[in-house]
Amino acid sequence: AKIEGRNNYQFYNAELDRKLTENVRLENDLRKALERDELQIHYQPIVELTEKKMVGLEALLRWEHPTLGFISPYDFIPIAEESGLIVPIGEWVIKSVCQQIIAWEKETSNKYSVSVNLSIRQFYQSNLVQVISESIKETGIDPSQLTLEITESMTMDVNKATIILFDFKSLGVNISMDDFGTGYSSLSHLQVFPIDFLKIDQSFIREINTKSEKRTGIIAATILAMAQNLGLKVIAEGVETKEQLQFLEEHGCNYAQGYYFSKPQPVEMLKEYMK
Ligand code: C2E
Ligand code: CA
Ligand code: CA
Ligand code: CA
């Protein structure tokens, strides 16, 4: 058993070593990605459910690596966070999104609202409020056209988070609680945070299966009922089927996004949704 343990230990080390080398390489490449124009933003429509109309979009980062091809944000965002690169990358996302909002407005005369994901590192970055405020001023967008998506993990320090959230709100932007129900959550804090939207995590939408004999979608239904009582609008994410959509509509969900409507797409591909 002792020898086996040793072998396992060595195997684990080699695996860890390989991962670390890989991450160092990715970190170096990511450092250059911004200036080399390898980062792109794709947009996924968010549909208002009473009118069945696209009212907004979520901005989602894409990295096209010169030799490795497309790398998922699930893989490179953690590296960007750890290295601090998320700060310049995040600023680039905010600026690009504000410019895109104005471009769409000129093209379509519609005032779309676009959601931007924030990482915890950005959230606690001292000049983020200034970066956002400058982007709004420079592009001339209406601040309510920008929504910041935060997660529950960012709000662990309730007092600090509340101050930052009120700073954001003073700019006139909207705030969305992303992945709701998956992390640390204290329901009572929802009452003190100035939040506009709750996003029900995909895992709870996946559980909605109206063909099943079992009672399904209980968590999604519970979140919807609670949000209504708190006066929060709800966005369901990861909606893939008509059954899920029907269930959400029956339970008073306000907005939905997911493959059922559209995958995240580059700007050129979104024209048909904007007529
Ligand atoms: P998220 O914010 O929870 O974004 C939703 C993810 O679900 C996206 O993955 C989206 O492409 C995917 N999705 C949308 N509809 C469906 C559906 O119907 N079915 C399924 N199975 N998936 C769906 P993506 O684009 O790979 O992004 C992954 C995560 O990376 C995001 O999760 C977000 O946490 C992070 N991320 C993406 N862009 C940014 C960014 O600009 N900044 C930061 N800080 N994080 C970002
Ligand atoms: Ca999100
Ligand atoms: Ca999410
Ligand atoms: Ca998620």
Side-chain angles (χ1 to χ4, degrees), residues 5 11 16 54 73 77 99 103 109 113 118 135 162 166 178 200-201:
F11 171 76
L16 191 69
M54 180 178 87
I77 294 287
Q99 283 162 4
S109 315
S113 164
L118 293 186
S135 299
T162 307
F166 274 99
D178 201 1
I200 306 180
D201 191 69

Side-chain angles (χ1 to χ4, degrees), residues 44 58 60-62 72-74 77 86 93 117-119 122 149 178-179 202 237-240 258-259 264:
Q44 184 176 41
E58 177 174 2
L60 293 155
L61 258 177
R62 297 289 178 261
S72 163
Y74 287 119
I77 294 287
I86 194 67
V93 171
N117 291 285
L118 293 186
S119 76
Q122 281 173 285
E149 296 199 358
D178 201 1
D179 302 342
Q202 319 193 354
E237 63 177 16
V239 176
E240 294 183 357
Y259 297 168

Side-chain angles (χ1 to χ4, degrees), residues 187-199:
L187 298 180
S188 63
H189 295 158
L190 283 181
Q191 280 179 305
V192 301
F193 294 142
I195 289 167
D196 304 283
F197 305 102
L198 276 192
K199 293 188 86 163

Side-chain angles (χ1 to χ4, degrees), residues 194-244:
I195 289 167
D196 304 283
F197 305 102
L198 276 192
K199 293 188 86 163
I200 306 180
D201 191 69
Q202 319 193 354
S203 56
F204 305 125
I205 305 303
R206 221 169 289 134
E207 281 168 12
I208 302 171
N209 174 8
T210 49
K211 288 189 189 110
S212 162
E213 296 286 307
K214 286 185 291 179
R215 292 185 67 193
T216 60
I218 295 173
I219 295 177
T222 306
I223 293 174
L224 279 159
M226 183 199 65
Q228 278 151 18
N229 284 326
L230 288 168
L232 298 169
K233 302 267 187 217
V234 178
I235 304 168
E237 63 177 16
V239 176
E240 294 183 357
T241 68
K242 204 181 169 90
E243 287 75 23
Q244 291 168 343

Side-chain angles (χ1 to χ4, degrees), residues 27-28 30-31 34 79-90:
E27 184 187 320
N28 283 331
L30 191 55
R31 212 172 282 283
L34 252 185
I79 295 172
E81 284 228 324
E82 229 164 279
S83 59
L85 285 168
I86 194 67
V87 172
I89 291 174

